[in-house]
Amino acid sequence: MKISVMGGGPAGLYFAILMKKSYPAARITVFERNRPDDTFGFGVVFSDETLQTFEAYDFESYQAITDHFAYWDDIEIHFKDNVYRIGGNGFCGTSRKQLLILLHQRARELGIELLFETDVTDFERLMRESDLVVASDGINSLVRETYKDHFQPEVDLRPNKFAWMGSTKPLDAFTFFFEETEYGIFIAHTYQYEPGLSTWVMETDPDTWARAGLDKMNEPESAKFLEKVFAKQLEGHPLLINRSYWRNFPAIRNKHWYKDNIVLLGDAKSTAHFSIGSGTKLAMEDAIALFEAFRANASVADALAAFESQRREDVEKIQHAAEVSLVWFEHVDRYWDMDPVQFAFGLMTRSKAITYDNLELREEPFVRAVDKMFAKQVAAEGFEVDLENPPAPMFHPLRMRDMVVENRLVVSPMDTYSAVEGVPQDFHLVHYGARAMGGAGLLYTEMTCVSEKGRITPGCAGIYTDEQEAAWSRIVDFVHKNSHAKFCMQIGHSGRKGSTKLMWEGIDQPLEEGGWDVVAPSALPYFENSPVPHVMTREDMDWIKGEFVAAAKRANSAGFDMLELHCAHGYLLASFLSPLTNTRDDEYGGSLENRLRYPLEVFDAVRAIWPNEKPMSVRLSATDWKEGGITGDDSVAISQAFLEHGADLVDVSTGQTVPDAKPIFGRMFQTPFAEQIRNEAGVKTIAVGNITTADQVNTILAAGRADLVAMGRPHLLDPAVGLDSAATYGFSEMYCPPQYLAGYQQALRTAQRDREELKELKLKARPRHHYTDARKQAAE
């Protein structure tokens, strides 16, 4: 087998090494346009887990790498004269030049041909003369650009500016420095990679960069400027440059990864932001995945197809974590006024790889400091709180107007489609009653419709008749008598998404019979086969506004503690907000101010009759997940408008506005929008969306990403999520109905033991690498 590798970076070299080791007869040539000792940048960094992978695949290169690495276990955060040192992370670094030298040596030992200062541009010929061509030719891949019509690359140039520099300043931890100047905020991502040398990646937002005049400075001038910014941290050490130009990070994706017998690898295929230190890791793990594809498949075509199909999900997960991380740094000013402990916790947990529980495993004293910080914030709101030994964040109360929820866990509004003529049944009594007794602080109804024609499906609950009101009153009474949960009714109108089948019969699909006319701001059907909505007139608006007011009056009579106005998911009020669904040319369409007009009218009318002592929330789709739709910035403005009109809380969801949206799913995938709205609009928020554990709840709350956290699907399977979570964290003060108290007490006794055993197992399972005395000395 003849293999040609374009580019002598870590990805191409490591793939060549693995293939030659397993297939000695293979003829492998690596073509590199630069000289052997040419390299740009300074250090590279790997985690313990990555080293463990290298050890399993090629012990010789692993041993050579670890013999030359500086190792450290801590992350250190310097913020406003505060320093936080957090252990248990397991990192190691070396110079990029040293890494390439080691891989060159290993490649030569195995008989791989390395051709330097060699440009290859006739890719068609190379493909004909090779069984496999590996295009590992970097971010500016010529191969990718030559065949871009096939690979279909997407390059997202992020707004922040960065420059890769070095220093002689010694460091004993992966260190983040934050400095505020007259121009704005500068960030330094730093780590030592060999004795006497450290990497300093400098980052700032484009406005700060321009105000500082860095757009007019050359490399030496930029370095001198930054030496002044970070003079305290550098302690007289210089900044070193090596093609340290200011750049924008390119987030690269490709629709296709291979063409015929040529395959993209490493940065040519996909990039991951430097803030999670995963660029070289991603590249070398790509090499491992491609090698495994060849081990499992006999033909090149099958191997390349397997590589793309099996590796893509892992790459996208890493890229998603990297993008969440880079967005945190792009908006660091959003967190600048936070308590320094909260700032540090938010930094540590920004990419979702590290959570509250995970951080407790690494550095328990720091998490205890986080608990105390959160408790002080709660005490400042007028609550009596144990400041010395506070519970985890989710077990603290929250006040909105005169209503106090005992903890921060929320049962999401979840449609059950089980009403009859809009009347809640015994199913609803059991459903809501069980979840209220399960320990959540706040319980939401499903979207409850304000009229018969405002229903989504024939099975949707309503609150527009006496019978419906009485049924809801029965449920509210049960919740109040048997739990401490506060109960919120969510009211809404389906708009153009009405007259559809039950979810399990075909979500959002129109009824084949028994349907009804639908209304919307514009005559745009949801699907092509959906009914075309009637365009609302001023008379329609007044009528439906009256239906919302009547529903709110009934909700109050039924005894609900709180009311939520549903302005999300493409239903009627959401359809006014989104430019994708509102194409009106009157005062209710066009600008965001105009699109807000009718939802605010409805809110004002409802707020006027809803008791002043009871809070109101608004549910929003913070993004439509489609170009031209609502963005996070729009949702900040929308939230501020509702706040000014008397809203106490924004329940932050996303999407479901149009059927061709492209949401980016993942753990806690909607939480960044709740965080943005909370910290930019200055309003309390609920985070919701694929939040599945109490650990995630505590992480979100402690980082200041939301004030309440809602779980939906976990509550479907386990109504007692709240009590289970309290037992896990040893919180014995959560209210439990006396009928279930024995079970709760038993859970308290056993959960702590189970938690300690799990902690011990996790500690034992952490990767361990053994370093020679020379390596230890280098690390020191």
Side-chain angles (χ1 to χ4, degrees):
M1 185 179 189
K2 184 176 180 182
I3 301 173
S4 297
V5 178
M6 301 291 300
L13 285 169
Y14 200 57
F15 173 72
I17 288 166
L18 297 181
M19 288 295 287
K20 187 67 175 178
K21 179 181 175 182
S22 292
Y23 304 97
R27 291 174 296 154
I28 304 177
T29 303
V30 177
F31 300 91
E32 170 55 53
R33 65 183 302 178
N34 295 308
R35 293 172 298 184
D37 56 351
D38 281 346
T39 189
F40 310 109
F42 295 89
V44 296
V45 61
F46 297 120
S47 67
D48 271 344
E49 289 79 6
T50 303
L51 285 180
Q52 190 174 46
T53 301
F54 293 166
E55 183 179 19
Y57 276 90
D58 185 53
F59 183 79
E60 289 80 3
S61 59
Y62 158 81
Q63 190 171 43
I65 289 170
T66 53
D67 278 341
H68 292 82
F69 262 60
Y71 184 84
W72 66 91
D73 197 48
D74 296 338
I75 289 176
E76 198 167 87
I77 300 165
H78 293 240
F79 175 68
K80 293 185 177 179
D81 297 323
N82 297 277
V83 179
Y84 302 99
R85 193 174 181 94
I86 299 160
N89 299 285
F91 288 109
C92 49
T94 192
S95 73
R96 180 177 172 82
K97 181 176 181 179
Q98 183 64 57
L99 175 64
L100 292 175
I101 290 171
L102 297 174
L103 293 176
H104 291 162
Q105 291 172 349
R106 179 63 175 148
R108 291 190 183 98
E109 288 172 6
L110 292 169
I112 296 166
E113 184 179 17
L114 304 179
L115 299 179
F116 296 96
E117 299 181 77
T118 303
D119 269 323
V120 177
T121 56
D122 190 348
F123 304 131
E124 294 293 330
R125 178 181 176 183
L126 195 66
M127 291 165 69
R128 289 194 304 270
E129 294 178 352
S130 307
D131 297 296
L132 172 69
V133 176
V134 178
S136 54
D137 52 342
I139 284 177
N140 299 312
S141 170
L142 182 59
V143 175
R144 184 189 67 228
E145 290 306 301
T146 300
Y147 301 108
K148 64 181 179 182
D149 289 344
H150 174 81
F151 291 122
Q152 296 183 44
E154 295 179 5
V155 181
D156 176 16
L157 281 176
R158 303 303 304 181
N160 269 16
K161 296 288 185 178
F162 77 97
W164 208 282
M165 298 184 180
S167 178
T168 56
K169 162 74 177 177
L171 297 165
D172 63 352
F174 194 116
T175 306
F176 294 99
F177 295 112
F178 297 86
E179 278 296 321
E180 187 173 26
T181 71
E182 60 186 298
Y183 311 108
I185 299 167
F186 287 88
I187 307 164
H189 310 242
T190 71
Y191 57 89
Q192 185 161 315
Y193 59 86
E194 61 184 49
L197 289 172
S198 51
T199 293
W200 288 63
V201 184
M202 304 300 196
E203 182 178 8
T204 191
D205 66 87
D207 292 336
T208 299
W209 180 75
R211 282 193 295 265
L214 287 161
D215 55 332
K216 300 177 179 66
M217 297 184 196
N218 59 28
E219 281 183 86
E221 289 169 341
S222 288
K224 291 298 181 185
F225 174 85
L226 290 167
E227 283 176 356
K228 294 178 181 177
V229 172
F230 293 102
K232 179 175 62 176
Q233 294 85 357
L234 286 163
E235 297 180 321
H237 289 269
L239 285 174
L240 310 176
I241 54 176
N242 178 4
R243 296 190 66 177
S244 303
Y245 305 123
W246 287 100
R247 292 171 283 167
N248 297 80
F249 181 80
I252 296 173
R253 287 180 167 83
N254 285 272
K255 185 173 182 179
H256 303 290
W257 289 5
Y258 67 94
K259 178 187 185 300
D260 302 323
N261 65 335
I262 191 167
V263 61
L264 301 178
L265 204 66
D267 285 348
K269 173 183 63 60
S270 45
T271 58
H273 193 251
F274 55 81
S275 64
I276 64 170
S278 61
T280 306
K281 160 193 160 70
L282 183 66
M284 293 178 73
E285 289 180 352
D286 276 350
I288 292 170
L290 183 58
F291 164 68
E292 285 288 4
F294 275 93
R295 284 216 298 187
N297 295 275
S299 71
V300 170
D302 288 345
L304 297 185
F307 167 62
E308 178 169 344
S309 64
Q310 295 167 13
R311 175 66 174 154
R312 185 177 284 277
E313 183 177 352
D314 286 341
V315 169
E316 289 178 350
K317 285 180 180 177
I318 293 170
Q319 286 190 297
H320 178 64
E323 288 179 10
V324 173
S325 175
L326 70 86
V327 167
W328 191 94
F329 287 100
E330 287 173 355
H331 297 285
V332 69
D333 59 325
R334 187 184 293 167
Y335 319 108
W336 200 254
D337 294 327
M338 282 185 169
D339 183 288
V341 173
Q342 190 166 51
F343 180 93
F345 182 85
L347 171 60
M348 290 297 299
T349 60
R350 68 194 181 281
S351 71
K352 300 184 287 190
I354 296 174
T355 62
Y356 179 91
D357 284 359
N358 181 271
L359 199 52
E360 183 180 45
L361 197 68
R362 297 168 185 240
E363 192 70 28
E364 185 173 353
F366 177 70
V367 176
R368 297 289 76 82
V370 170
D371 288 343
K372 291 179 180 180
M373 171 275 300
F374 196 88
K376 288 178 182 177
Q377 292 179 351
V378 175
E381 296 294 322
F383 292 101
E384 292 187 11
V385 180
D386 183 347
L387 297 178
E388 289 304 311
N389 295 290
M394 69 182 292
F395 303 114
H396 285 281
L398 179 71
R399 178 182 289 108
M400 291 178 286
R401 300 196 182 223
D402 288 355
M403 187 187 83
V404 174
V405 293
E406 289 195 349
N407 62 69
R408 306 299 181 99
L409 179 64
V410 178
V411 178
S412 295
M414 295 175 286
D415 286 326
T416 62
Y417 307 103
S418 301
V420 177
E421 299 297 328
V423 179
Q425 303 296 298
D426 286 347
F427 174 88
H428 296 84
L429 176 67
V430 173
H431 173 72
Y432 291 112
R435 280 143 194 85
M437 292 188 294
L442 181 60
L443 175 69
Y444 271 83
T445 70
E446 57 205 272
M447 185 177 108
T448 306
C449 303
V450 299
S451 67
E452 185 177 10
K453 289 191 174 183
R455 292 176 298 163
I456 308 166
T457 76
C460 286
I463 189 160
Y464 47 87
T465 69
D466 291 344
E467 187 180 3
Q468 293 164 359
E469 181 184 328
W472 278 119
S473 181
R474 176 182 177 227
I475 296 168
V476 172
D477 287 346
F478 182 91
V479 167
H480 286 159
K481 288 176 183 177
N482 293 280
S483 79
H484 284 189
K486 301 302 181 184
F487 205 179
C488 177
M489 167 159 277
Q490 183 190 76
I491 57 173
H493 189 293
S494 59
R496 71 176 189 151
K497 293 178 74 175
S499 191
T500 62
K501 298 177 180 179
L502 302 182
M503 180 182 67
W504 46 83
E505 294 176 352
I507 188 166
D508 294 326
Q509 291 297 326
L511 289 168
E512 294 170 2
E513 57 182 35
W516 53 89
D517 294 335
V518 298
V519 297
S522 303
L524 301 172
Y526 186 71
F527 290 123
E528 288 184 2
N529 63 329
S530 298
V532 177
H534 164 72
V535 177
M536 290 176 66
T537 64
R538 179 66 257 182
E539 184 180 4
D540 296 326
M541 293 182 197
D542 290 339
W543 182 265
I544 291 174
K545 180 170 64 176
E547 290 176 334
F548 273 98
V549 170
K553 289 178 179 177
R554 288 185 181 276
N556 187 48
S557 296
F560 283 95
D561 305 293
M562 180 175 169
L563 191 71
E564 177 163 285
L565 190 65
H566 201 321
C567 298
H569 300 167
Y571 298 122
L572 182 67
L573 298 181
S575 291
F576 273 90
L577 291 174
S578 174
L580 300 178
T581 51
N582 182 348
T583 58
R584 300 175 73 101
D585 58 7
D586 61 5
E587 66 269 31
Y588 294 96
S591 68
L592 179 58
E593 181 183 5
N594 284 357
R595 300 195 311 271
L596 258 166
R597 194 182 305 275
Y598 183 61
L600 287 175
E601 281 184 16
V602 174
F603 182 88
D604 287 343
V606 171
R607 180 73 265 184
I609 61 89
W610 186 249
N612 188 61
E613 69 273 11
K614 292 185 178 184
M616 274 190 67
S617 59
V618 177
R619 184 165 234 204
L620 296 180
S621 285
T623 176
D624 290 329
W625 296 114
K626 184 177 178 179
E627 188 174 352
I630 286 175
T631 66
D633 290 344
D634 293 332
S635 291
V636 170
I638 292 168
S639 299
Q640 286 173 330
F642 278 108
L643 176 64
E644 291 168 3
H645 283 248
D648 304 285
L649 179 73
V650 177
D651 185 0
V652 185
S653 188
T654 64
Q656 302 179 52
T657 308
V658 291
D660 58 343
K662 295 181 179 179
I664 302 173
F665 293 111
R667 290 175 298 131
M668 303 177 277
F669 74 106
Q670 295 176 157
T671 299
F673 297 99
E675 177 182 45
Q676 180 182 8
I677 290 170
R678 179 186 189 269
N679 292 302
E680 291 186 7
V683 61
K684 293 182 175 65
T685 62
I686 299 179
V688 62
N690 205 14
I691 299 167
T692 58
T693 67
D695 176 27
Q696 292 171 356
V697 174
N698 284 318
T699 304
I700 291 166
L701 294 169
R705 297 186 174 115
D707 300 275
L708 294 163
V709 181
M711 286 189 187
R713 292 175 185 178
H715 272 114
L716 292 178
L717 184 64
D718 178 11
V721 169
L723 288 170
D724 286 342
S725 301
T728 298
Y729 286 92
F731 182 67
S732 60
E733 298 177 26
M734 181 172 282
Y735 174 79
C736 177
Q739 299 93 328
Y740 298 153
L741 189 57
Y744 177 42
Q745 290 172 337
Q746 183 183 51
L748 281 165
R749 290 192 297 270
T750 61
Q752 281 302 102
R753 183 188 65 226
D754 293 344
R755 186 174 171 85
E756 289 303 315
E757 289 177 355
L758 181 61
K759 180 178 179 179
E760 185 178 353
L761 286 172
K762 287 181 177 178
L763 286 170
K764 288 180 178 178
R766 284 185 60 198
R768 291 289 186 268
H769 297 278
H770 302 287
Y771 298 90
T772 63
D773 290 340
R775 272 176 279 165
K776 289 180 181 178
Q777 185 177 356
E780 292 171 358

